[in-house]
Amino acid sequence: MRFLEAFLSKINSLFWGGPMLLILCLFHLYFTIHTGGVQKQLLRGIRCSVSGGDQKKGSENGTARKNSPGTGSQNNSSAPSHRVSGLMALTTTLAATLGTGNIIGVSSAIYLGGPGALFWCFLTGLFGMATSYAECFLSILHRRKNADGTYSGGPMIVLEHRLHKKGLACVYAGAVIFAACGMNCSTQARAFADAAVSFGLPRIPVGIALALLVGVVIVGGAERIHKFCIRLVPVMGGLFLFCCLLILGKNLTWLPEAVTLMLRSAFSAKAVAAGTLSGAFMSAVRYGVTRGLFTNEAGLGTAAIAAADAETPDPQTQALISMTATFWDTVVICALTGLAILSTAVAEPESMAGFSMNELTTAAFLRLSAGGPVLLNLCLMAFAFATLTGWSYFGEKAALFLVGERGIFCYKTCYIVMIFLGTILSMSLIWQLTDFANLFLAVPNLYALFLLRRDVTCRKPDRR
């Protein structure tokens, strides 16, 4: 295990230490400029996600989508067995992305990269919204309609049916399955088990119970997953945001100093210390961007898999809705989590002593009361459970693409088994596997984005 971890660390340092970070930043900047700053339409995306607005108007653009490669020959008049709304697609994406990255990932980014890592994580989310918009737009534009009236989409469909790159499409789909059964099962299951153990529960029974509970949800298929996510995500996200805002309220006096520390560390080539937190420029960039990518997955194409399932007729409308997942995940939740940590470090530097890189958020939640860590662990368990559910859906769609219906039972069985095994794996190895797996998601997706970049359009809102 140590050899594997050391090997993965070298590979990740080689790619994520410079080349992939630069490529992702260039994509984020390009699509921000290409779409005329699609982030400016954030409020429209939020409005459409809760009201379904602009969907009727989007039907005017349906003809172009229906005639696009990979869709026309498979359209039929059969009604879908389960209608997926834009909000359902969004909450499924959020369920998959709101996980340990928002709590443990931010904590480890600040610990390893210094306070400046939070700034780069924030920027990754802000500019990553444009890339998320682009990949969702392409997947909806080039999705295909199935015999039962449902849709199939995502980078693998775009690669195969639009670019005729079957091999690369299979690589991407295989990477999704590996990521679902490997890194995502592991990170979320281990985090859930650690939180449960803090309540005095035994790890192995917790792992078995978690696997069975997730199994109950995912065996019900896409319909049960969508309905589960649309109920759980707003509650758990709202609770965690409320807690972070309470901490920031307690630390309000020290908040300006924490922001200053973050900005100074983000651009400093020298180490900047705040209690036990330290980091240099390249470490801040690397860990900020990679943890930001892990939380919102902009550039990995996974959000596009859920977006393509929605019944929203207009690619732009659904892409705007799906883009808000990156905003809520990284620009809001990760930023508030990080500021809660930094403001606590400034207010009470000694409070950070003795905490590991995965526990800085726990130290911040102690500002609420002695019961703060208990509340945090409950949030962490809810986040982890939601992510396990959401990512099972991504893996299922990839398995359908590769082997069809006959492979779904094997996939779900493997997924449930890996949830249990994830509760006993090393977290340091899990994070290395996470960064490594992201490479095989990012490269095929970015390849498709580059070749089809001119297919991405962004109309200005109708002011009439």
Side-chain angles (χ1 to χ4, degrees):
M1 283 295 182
R2 290 184 179 179
F3 172 79
L4 176 60
E5 187 174 338
F7 174 75
L8 291 175
S9 178
K10 290 182 179 180
I11 296 295
N12 292 331
S13 297
L14 175 64
F15 286 97
W16 290 115
M20 286 303 299
L21 298 184
L22 177 61
I23 291 170
L24 278 170
C25 289
L26 290 175
F27 269 86
H28 292 347
L29 287 172
Y30 172 81
F31 282 112
T32 296
I33 297 170
H34 178 71
T35 58
V38 70
Q39 295 91 336
K40 293 183 294 186
Q41 298 195 45
L42 173 65
L43 291 179
R44 180 184 170 193
I46 294 174
R47 186 181 70 249
C48 291
S49 68
V50 296
S51 68
D54 291 349
Q55 293 191 21
K56 290 183 178 179
K57 186 175 74 175
S59 62
E60 299 170 4
N61 302 284
T63 303
R65 179 178 53 78
K66 289 177 183 177
N67 294 330
S68 64
T71 61
S73 63
Q74 304 204 29
N75 285 332
N76 54 56
S77 58
S78 60
S81 57
H82 167 55
R83 293 183 62 85
V84 180
S85 67
L87 181 58
M88 283 182 173
L90 172 63
T91 53
T92 301
T93 300
L94 281 171
T97 56
L98 289 178
T100 58
N102 300 89
I103 300 175
I104 298 176
V106 172
S107 174
S108 64
I110 293 175
Y111 187 94
L112 296 171
L118 178 62
F119 174 80
W120 294 107
C121 182
F122 175 84
L123 278 191
T124 299
L126 184 63
F127 287 97
M129 289 166 62
T131 301
S132 180
Y133 171 88
E135 59 195 15
C136 290
F137 186 97
L138 286 176
S139 287
I140 300 162
L141 185 69
H142 300 302
R143 65 186 174 182
R144 67 186 183 192
K145 198 169 187 178
N146 304 315
D148 62 353
T150 60
Y151 291 101
S152 293
M156 58 270 195
I157 302 295
V158 174
L159 285 164
E160 181 184 28
H161 291 275
R162 177 64 177 87
L163 294 175
H164 309 293
K165 300 291 184 181
K166 175 70 173 178
L168 201 56
C170 290
V171 168
Y172 182 85
V176 171
I177 295 174
F178 173 77
C181 291
M183 70 171 191
N184 282 286
C185 273
S186 301
T187 53
Q188 309 307 325
R190 178 59 187 249
F192 185 99
D194 286 347
V197 168
S198 72
F199 293 117
L201 300 174
R203 183 176 296 275
I204 292 179
V206 165
I208 295 172
L210 176 61
L212 292 176
L213 287 173
V214 174
V216 168
V217 177
I218 67 176
V219 295
E223 182 174 1
R224 186 179 295 178
I225 291 174
H226 285 308
K227 289 181 178 179
F228 175 80
C229 292
I230 204 170
R231 288 177 173 85
L232 178 62
V233 168
V235 175
M236 72 174 192
L239 175 62
F240 185 74
L241 280 176
F242 179 71
C243 293
C244 287
L245 289 173
L246 284 180
I247 295 171
L248 291 177
K250 285 182 172 287
N251 296 340
L252 192 60
T253 303
W254 296 275
L255 191 57
E257 186 177 346
V259 173
T260 301
L261 174 67
M262 175 188 71
L263 294 175
R264 189 168 68 244
S265 175
F267 297 100
S268 174
K270 298 180 179 180
V272 180
T276 60
L277 310 178
S278 65
F281 176 72
M282 284 309 298
S283 292
V285 175
R286 179 193 171 186
Y287 289 106
V289 173
T290 54
R291 293 300 177 260
L293 173 63
F294 177 63
T295 60
N296 62 55
E297 299 174 15
L300 301 187
T302 50
I305 298 174
D309 287 354
E311 291 293 310
T312 312
D314 178 22
Q316 176 167 332
T317 300
Q318 184 57 46
L320 287 173
I321 293 173
S322 297
M323 177 189 77
T324 64
T326 301
F327 169 76
W328 293 118
D329 185 279
T330 307
V331 178
V332 175
I333 294 182
C334 283
L336 291 181
T337 304
L339 286 175
I341 293 172
L342 292 183
S343 59
T344 300
V346 172
E348 298 180 349
E350 68 281 359
S351 67
M352 292 293 164
F355 287 95
S356 70
M357 71 175 183
N358 297 326
E359 297 174 337
L360 298 185
T361 313
T362 302
F365 266 65
L366 281 170
R367 292 285 286 171
L368 294 178
S369 67
V374 174
L375 189 57
L376 175 64
N377 282 328
L378 290 174
C379 289
L380 181 57
M381 291 170 73
F383 276 35
F385 191 88
T387 301
L388 287 168
T389 304
W391 253 95
S392 72
Y393 179 73
F394 294 160
E396 181 177 338
K397 299 293 284 188
L400 275 171
F401 175 82
L402 282 178
V403 295
E405 291 283 351
R406 66 183 183 276
I408 298 304
F409 176 78
C410 291
Y411 162 74
K412 289 182 177 179
T413 301
C414 178
Y415 192 84
I416 292 170
V417 170
M418 286 303 298
I419 289 174
F420 168 72
L421 294 179
T423 61
I424 57 177
L425 292 177
S426 163
M427 278 301 291
S428 59
L429 174 60
I430 287 170
W431 282 117
Q432 294 296 339
L433 284 169
T434 297
D435 289 345
F436 183 71
N438 282 343
L439 284 172
F440 293 91
L441 292 173
V443 172
N445 181 58
L446 295 177
Y447 173 79
L449 280 174
F450 176 75
L451 293 183
L452 300 177
R453 61 193 183 279
R454 300 189 188 280
D455 287 5
V456 179
T457 60
C458 184
R459 304 182 310 276
K460 293 182 180 180
D462 190 350
R463 300 295 184 183
R464 291 180 297 176

